[in-house]
Amino acid sequence: MNRIITFGTYDVLHIGHIKLLKRAKSLGSHLIVGVSSDELNRDKKGREPIYPLKSRLEIISSLKFVDEVFVEDSLDLKAEYITSHNADILVMGDDWEGRFDHLKKYCDVVYLPRTPSISTTEVIEIIKEKA
Ligand code: C2G
């Protein structure tokens, strides 16, 4: 059965993350998650994650439908990550639509619809307002 790989910061875990990971797992039998390092998150999002890498790795690996986690150090190492993990399908939310099509020579590439109106940034804003 298919080995699925996906990537993300997965900071302040929310339902959009859970729905993406569950749908990714439903496409195969083994789900591997590349969790972005704190430095990569700083490069991608221009801020420190709320939860440090160690916590984000433990949270994601504790999900029953996640089989394996590793540290994603760069957005440009996907071909290496895909081949070293023998992944058959790369799954990402469709905010990345088209961005990984060049990897189709290594594995299938599937973009899934994002869950609307939830993001780590929005959760942070809500907490700031309510606190
Ligand atoms: N996601 C989603 N719905 C949301 C929010 C996020 O489906 N409401 C998906 C994203 O599309 C992504 C995954 O959940 O596939 C993780 O989201 P982030 O932690 O924001 O990851 P991102 O910053 O997009 O990092 O190498 C790729 C990057 O590391 C992806």
Side-chain angles (χ1 to χ4, degrees):
M1 274 284 278
N2 287 323
R3 291 170 58 83
I4 314 295
I5 195 166
T6 189
F7 298 87
T9 299
Y10 289 100
D11 193 20
V12 189
L13 199 65
H14 57 67
I15 191 65
H17 295 140
I18 295 295
K19 284 176 177 289
L20 189 286
L21 292 170
K22 273 186 179 172
R23 285 176 290 162
K25 180 59 177 284
S26 73
L27 298 176
S29 60
H30 190 88
L31 176 59
I32 306 154
V33 185
V35 177
S36 310
S37 66
D38 294 339
E39 297 71 23
L40 178 54
N41 190 72
R42 233 189 337 268
D43 297 345
K44 280 190 297 185
K45 309 215 176 187
R47 61 169 169 78
E48 288 297 319
I50 303 293
Y51 298 161
L53 173 63
K54 188 170 174 296
S55 303
R56 292 183 285 111
L57 284 165
E58 186 168 346
I59 290 167
I60 295 299
S61 57
S62 67
L63 296 172
K64 65 182 176 187
F65 42 83
V66 172
D67 299 287
E68 199 177 335
V69 296
F70 70 97
V71 180
E72 176 193 31
D73 287 307
S74 162
L75 297 183
D76 304 324
L77 290 173
K78 283 195 179 49
E80 289 79 356
Y81 294 141
I82 289 164
T83 47
S84 63
H85 289 92
N86 301 313
D88 302 298
I89 308 176
L90 166 63
V91 176
M92 291 301 297
D94 63 4
D95 47 317
W96 293 92
E97 183 81 41
R99 298 275 300 278
F100 302 126
D101 290 356
H102 62 285
L103 296 163
K104 286 182 174 174
K105 53 178 169 291
Y106 300 103
C107 64
D108 292 343
V109 178
V110 173
Y111 302 101
L112 299 174
R114 273 175 74 92
T115 301
S117 64
I118 180 92
S119 70
T120 301
T121 307
E122 283 171 83
V123 171
I124 293 167
E125 289 311 310
I126 292 167
I127 291 169
K128 278 182 188 167
E129 280 162 30
K130 304 255 187 218

